[in-house]
Amino acid sequence: MQAARHVVCAVSGGVDSAVAALLLRRRGYRVTGVFMRNWDSLDEHGVCTADRDCEDAYRVCQILDIPFRQVSYVKEYWNDVFSDFLNEYEKGRTPNPDIVCNKLIKFRCFFNYAVDNLGADAVATGHYARTSLEDEEVFQQKHIKRPEGLFRNRFEVRNAVKLLQAADSFKDQTFFLSQVPQEALRRTLFPLGELTKDFVKKIAAENRLHHVLQKKESMGICFIGKRNFENFILEYLQPRPGRFISIEDNKVLGTHKGWFLYTLGQRANIGGLREPWYVVEKDGAKGDVLVAPRTDHPALYRDLLRTGRVHWIAEEPPAALVRDKMMECHFRFRHQMALVPCVLTLNQDGTVWVTAVKAVRALAPGQFAVFYKGDECLGSGKILRLGPSTYTLQKG
């Protein structure tokens, strides 16, 4: 009889990863739970949130009767994720540290630890996503040798594993997985891919996992928590006072502590003004933030952007895009926003132009444009340049 497959499951102390581990256990696998400590900080009550989460993750493993490990990636997180986050803000961009964390911490550091140190046959997480492989096919990946050398992609026939949207389209988290390397994806199970969040909570309730059920959903950037964003950033970056200027008549409306604190589309808190104004452009050289009245002002809308080099989940651009240099698909640049129909144009250097079928509100450099074809997530590229706004075009 074959030994039970060993699956190493990331456990965060939340309900999703707890139920993922439970379901793997039910499938008859040998499961090890691993808690990743990526950030050490105190919440607003002076309690270390990572300690509390670790405690909850440990209790999950006790209830499920599986071994528990914890690993610290605080140094890697600081160097690879947080430094990049600050760097991007300093340049006036709007980064997405969750996408970068999945790419560099969960699906690199954790993945390598699970495979090399714990001898995992596969890894698993509590993400709401699916792949094109059945469990048994995932376990077989272990034995498929990866071709070495410069020209491997030109000659090998290697069916890339697809990243597919979750059955629960509202909870779908492929957006956050859009930079995950193929090598790790091939050996990853997503036990929640076919389930709704409500059903996951029901499973938790029926299996003595009440302590994780009562926890609040973690939303927003993990290392900021409930703190004021501006105050948090100014602990790390020097204030650079500047002016709020109306895009319509160049009138100075007020002052701010740093142009990098604002992202395009957000409401600008300008003292003494009753009406809301919204950030539409930033002038880094002068330190000015340009604002417009109304949340639907045409200066907030654009239909063209250019990304950096795209990370394709399949490692290569889609065949149709290579063949025709253009391709219709959909994209989003925020989690849970509606998918936007667009046309991609492939550039020689691996970057793409994205032309949205209709102008979208509040595109910002630094965000990731994540591409979809049907229910397949193709990958993503960081937005580096924006075309002119509808307002600029109207003014001619």
Side-chain angles (χ1 to χ4, degrees):
M1 189 179 144
Q2 188 184 14
R5 304 291 195 181
H6 183 203
V7 181
V8 174
C9 184
V11 286
S12 65
V15 66
D16 294 331
S17 60
V19 171
L22 167 78
L23 294 173
L24 293 166
R25 193 69 218 276
R26 277 198 189 157
R27 289 180 198 173
Y29 304 141
R30 183 161 70 85
V31 183
T32 301
V34 175
F35 177 81
M36 279 171 265
R37 190 182 287 269
N38 297 336
W39 185 263
D40 276 335
S41 73
L42 306 179
D43 67 10
E44 58 282 16
H45 307 298
V47 177
C48 179
T49 42
D51 285 347
R52 200 171 44 213
D53 291 338
C54 184
E55 194 68 31
D56 289 338
Y58 175 63
R59 275 183 67 194
V60 166
C61 293
Q62 278 187 313
I63 291 165
L64 300 182
D65 194 24
I66 61 175
F68 171 81
R69 299 281 183 99
Q70 64 165 310
V71 285
S72 172
Y73 296 128
V74 171
K75 190 168 98 248
E76 292 84 346
Y77 192 93
W78 181 277
N79 292 335
D80 299 338
V81 182
F82 189 63
S83 300
D84 170 71
F85 170 83
L86 290 179
N87 216 344
E88 288 284 284
Y89 261 104
E90 214 162 17
K91 290 180 184 151
R93 296 190 189 144
T94 304
N96 191 316
D98 296 325
I99 290 179
V100 181
C101 175
N102 279 326
K103 177 184 183 131
L104 300 179
I105 307 295
K106 291 193 182 111
F107 289 86
R108 183 187 286 170
C109 299
F110 164 69
F111 175 77
N112 291 337
Y113 169 76
V115 170
D116 300 339
N117 296 43
L118 301 181
D121 293 309
V123 301
T125 71
H127 286 104
Y128 288 83
R130 298 177 301 134
T131 75
S132 51
L133 296 183
E134 298 294 329
D135 284 17
E136 212 31 63
E137 295 173 296
V138 172
F139 296 127
Q140 285 160 17
Q141 299 301 319
K142 187 177 180 177
H143 309 293
I144 297 175
K145 273 281 164 275
R146 178 163 189 172
E148 296 297 325
L150 199 55
F151 300 108
R152 64 181 175 77
N153 283 326
R154 299 290 168 266
F155 303 117
E156 65 176 297
V157 180
R158 181 168 183 252
N159 291 330
V161 172
K162 293 177 173 155
L163 176 62
L164 306 172
Q165 294 197 70
D168 183 338
S169 58
F170 181 69
K171 276 301 293 180
D172 173 62
Q173 288 172 310
T174 51
F175 178 83
F176 297 116
L177 300 170
S178 62
Q179 288 267 323
V180 167
Q182 173 71 205
E183 216 41 33
L185 191 67
R186 301 177 83 78
R187 296 183 61 181
T188 301
L189 302 173
F190 296 117
L192 309 187
E194 303 286 352
L195 309 180
T196 63
K197 179 76 181 198
D198 287 342
F199 192 60
V200 167
K201 286 178 169 172
K202 186 170 176 284
I203 295 173
E206 288 166 1
N207 288 276
R208 314 201 323 276
L209 294 167
H210 301 285
H211 73 290
V212 290
L213 253 183
Q214 281 132 23
K215 288 174 79 164
K216 268 198 141 73
E217 276 279 301
S218 58
M219 289 297 211
I221 298 170
C222 60
F223 48 76
I224 296 179
K226 292 181 184 154
R227 285 175 295 186
N228 172 286
F229 177 77
E230 184 171 310
N231 297 346
F232 177 82
I233 290 286
L234 291 175
E235 284 178 29
Y236 297 94
L237 300 181
Q238 287 296 319
R240 288 171 51 192
R243 306 171 301 173
F244 286 117
I245 294 178
S246 164
I247 195 162
E248 293 192 335
D249 56 14
N250 289 328
K251 207 171 132 198
V252 177
L253 300 173
T255 58
H256 59 76
K257 290 182 186 160
W259 65 292
F260 51 78
L261 293 167
Y262 296 90
T263 186
L264 302 192
Q266 94 176 70
R267 187 172 168 173
N269 288 322
I270 306 174
L273 293 185
R274 276 218 307 277
E275 264 64 59
W277 287 71
Y278 296 87
V279 176
V280 293
E281 278 184 49
K282 301 192 289 187
D283 182 339
K286 294 182 184 162
D288 291 337
V289 173
L290 301 175
V291 292
R294 301 196 321 278
T295 180
D296 60 351
H297 192 281
L300 284 163
Y301 289 82
R302 297 164 196 269
D303 63 3
L304 182 65
L305 67 94
R306 185 174 183 158
T307 70
R309 196 180 171 82
V310 175
H311 169 83
W312 299 106
I313 295 285
E315 297 183 326
E316 295 281 305
L321 184 56
V322 175
R323 188 184 62 233
D324 306 329
K325 299 290 176 270
M326 292 177 91
M327 184 181 85
E328 291 183 1
C329 65
H330 287 79
F331 86 111
R332 61 163 58 107
F333 51 95
R334 279 193 305 272
H335 174 50
Q336 289 181 336
M337 72 175 274
L339 286 169
V340 178
C342 66
V343 175
L344 302 187
T345 311
L346 184 62
N347 301 312
Q348 292 260 275
D349 58 0
T351 66
V352 297
W353 284 102
V354 182
T355 310
V357 170
K358 66 177 211 285
V360 287
R361 184 184 184 280
L363 278 170
Q367 291 171 319
F368 284 89
V370 181
F371 307 117
Y372 292 86
K373 192 89 175 164
D375 65 352
E376 182 183 356
C377 175
L378 300 171
S380 62
K382 187 184 284 184
I383 301 174
L384 296 184
R385 281 178 59 194
L386 300 178
S389 73
T390 308
Y391 181 69
T392 306
L393 294 171
Q394 283 169 356
K395 283 203 322 195

